[in-house]
Amino acid sequence: MTSAFRIPMTGRSTDERHRVSSPLELLFDLTFVVAIAQVAGQLAHAGEAGHVLERLPFYLMVFFAIWWAWMNFTWFASAYDTDDVPYRLMTLVQMGGVLVLAAGVPAAFDEENFTAIIVGYLIMRLALVGQWLRAGIEDPAGRRTAFRYAAGIAVVQVLWVAWGFLPPHSAVWLFPVGVVLELAVPLWAERTGMTSWHPHHIAERYGLFTIIVLGESVSASAVGVQQALATSGFSASLVWIASAALVLLFALWWLYFLEPAAEGLSSKRGRSFYWGYGHYFVFASLAALGAGLEVAVQAGAADAHASDTAVEYAIAVPVAVFLLMLYILHAPLVDEVVIRPLKTGVAIALVLLLPLASPFLGLVGVTIGIALVASALVATTLIDRALAARSREKEPTASRPLP
């Protein structure tokens, strides 16, 4: 699409050919790189200080705000992206809100002060409300749904602003209420008609965001290596853990893209909420993995105690959650998942059991073991696909009647 001053905002076709992410969407994603780096970095600092469990609720809260803002923009853009001047300017406002939110992440973790995050979130939501109001005015077919979105988002945002005035302890416990209300808005809004989001476009957008989160994990590992070199110098442990981290991230990337989603979203549009909402755990686990790898690299270089299972579980738990969610999210979309559930279950069990062998394997051995499990899951899945393809090729010959 080319930018024009103003194009009437109407729902885009759900079967538009060659629909891909626009340059504006890719630019928009870059602001989330900053936000994810901030929240993952804070979780890594908590891990270094041994306060992961204490700070985990704040991580999950802030990551929800980041993910939900990205998701709302993504699904709106899939249905109503006009790429005209007003649309681009409203997107610019949302990008500014993301950066304000990112700037407030350290205060949320260190001081339990969510003011900047709420302000950034408010900026993003006001711009999104404006987009939905425009869609409702200019698209008669989707007017009721668009106005429902605008009203629901505005009401929940008022509640978030009020939430910011609560004492920190009460605010943490009441946060799930706000989450439920946010998740309920799309379900309520689309009861009058589903927006015209594009299944292949959505699948691509989620894949790109997965790459962004994995990229942050790579960046976090690099930060860990830099800090380890500065404090402890070069060591074999550093090389082994950093190499295992790269192999692990590569294997998880491979596994994610082995499971197709576009066709399933196209034929089973009613399950899009389940698939889309569930990705919170995919993205949050990958970002948390980056924090765990950063801590592991530094701990390994400093010759940390071999039985320190807390660091190892900071890697194992996110990997297990990712593998589990990969199956849970794709199973309802397809007739048969690519990664066999039995193999997924075995991989999850091995990943969670490996830290228990820390007294024998050490941090280096456990990290390498987790990377090998993920790599083995990739290899066995590729073998399964090759055998299945060979079997399909032989079927016509086998079923041909004898002369």
Side-chain angles (χ1 to χ4, degrees):
M1 297 178 65
T2 58
S3 175
F5 183 78
R6 184 177 174 277
I7 300 173
M9 184 172 279
T10 57
R12 297 184 63 166
S13 173
T14 59
D15 56 0
E16 181 181 339
R17 294 175 62 85
H18 309 300
R19 179 73 189 276
V20 296
S21 300
S22 69
L24 179 60
E25 288 175 307
L26 300 178
L27 179 64
F28 180 79
D29 287 350
L30 290 180
T31 59
F32 286 88
V33 172
V34 178
I36 294 171
Q38 286 291 321
V39 70
Q42 291 298 319
L43 186 62
H45 295 330
E48 294 165 11
H51 300 147
V52 172
L53 294 179
E54 178 184 336
R55 291 299 167 188
L56 185 60
F58 297 95
Y59 168 78
L60 296 175
M61 291 164 61
V62 175
F63 197 90
F64 175 84
I66 295 170
W67 163 77
W68 189 246
W70 175 87
M71 200 179 88
N72 275 239
F73 169 84
T74 295
W75 289 80
F76 177 87
S78 189
Y80 285 108
D81 184 0
T82 57
D83 198 35
D84 59 5
V85 171
Y87 181 87
R88 289 188 173 190
L89 293 178
M90 294 296 274
T91 302
L92 173 63
V93 174
Q94 290 177 270
M95 292 169 62
V98 176
L99 295 177
V100 173
L101 186 153
V105 170
F109 272 81
D110 299 336
E111 307 167 17
E112 300 183 12
N113 183 346
F114 291 89
T115 301
I117 289 180
I118 292 174
V119 171
Y121 198 62
L122 177 62
I123 294 171
M124 289 185 288
R125 304 303 270 174
L126 289 176
L128 184 61
V129 168
Q131 294 278 49
W132 279 116
L133 288 174
R134 181 188 173 193
I137 293 170
E138 299 182 4
D139 181 26
R143 179 163 297 160
R144 291 186 64 191
T145 300
F147 283 163
R148 278 182 169 229
Y149 264 111
I153 292 170
V155 169
V156 176
Q157 186 57 50
V158 170
L159 296 177
W160 281 126
V161 172
W163 177 84
F165 290 96
L166 295 174
H169 181 74
S170 301
V172 171
W173 288 106
L174 289 175
F175 185 83
V177 177
V179 169
V180 171
L181 293 174
E182 286 280 20
L183 297 178
V185 169
L187 294 170
W188 170 72
E190 304 221 6
R191 290 183 64 185
T192 57
M194 185 169 286
T195 52
S196 57
W197 51 269
H198 194 288
H200 290 80
H201 175 250
I202 286 294
E204 184 199 34
R205 296 292 292 130
Y206 273 71
L208 290 173
F209 200 74
T210 300
I211 293 174
I212 285 174
V213 182
L214 284 169
E216 286 305 316
S217 294
V218 173
S219 176
S221 299
V223 169
V225 170
Q226 290 176 344
Q227 294 178 354
L229 288 173
T231 58
S232 305
F234 181 84
S235 67
S237 297
L238 175 63
V239 174
W240 280 111
I241 294 178
S243 300
L246 180 59
V247 171
L248 174 59
L249 295 171
F250 190 81
L252 297 184
W253 164 83
W254 202 326
L255 289 169
Y256 182 87
F257 286 97
L258 278 173
E259 292 288 2
E263 294 302 327
L265 289 171
S266 180
S267 60
K268 300 175 181 177
R269 292 178 70 87
R271 298 180 183 177
S272 59
F273 287 107
Y274 172 86
W275 185 84
Y277 286 2
H279 265 75
Y280 167 77
F281 300 100
V282 173
F283 298 147
S285 64
L286 289 177
L289 174 61
L293 290 173
E294 180 178 340
V295 176
V297 168
Q298 295 183 61
D303 294 324
H305 197 277
S307 63
D308 188 6
T309 56
V311 177
E312 294 151 3
Y313 270 115
I315 301 173
V317 171
V319 171
V321 171
F322 172 84
L323 295 178
L324 178 63
M325 293 308 301
L326 201 59
Y327 170 75
I328 289 176
L329 295 181
H330 289 88
L333 292 183
V334 296
D335 296 329
E336 185 178 16
V337 293
V338 174
I339 307 170
R340 304 300 186 199
L342 178 59
K343 290 183 172 63
T344 297
V346 171
I348 292 172
L350 290 174
V351 166
L352 293 177
L353 288 173
L354 274 168
L356 300 180
S358 182
F360 309 100
L361 299 176
L363 177 59
V364 174
V366 170
T367 307
I368 293 174
I370 294 174
L372 290 176
V373 169
S375 302
L377 186 57
V378 173
T380 54
T381 301
L382 294 177
I383 292 172
D384 286 341
R385 291 181 64 182
L387 293 176
R390 186 176 302 176
S391 177
R392 286 193 298 269
E393 290 174 359
K394 292 182 178 179
E395 281 179 1
T397 304
S399 61
R400 194 177 301 156
L402 295 173

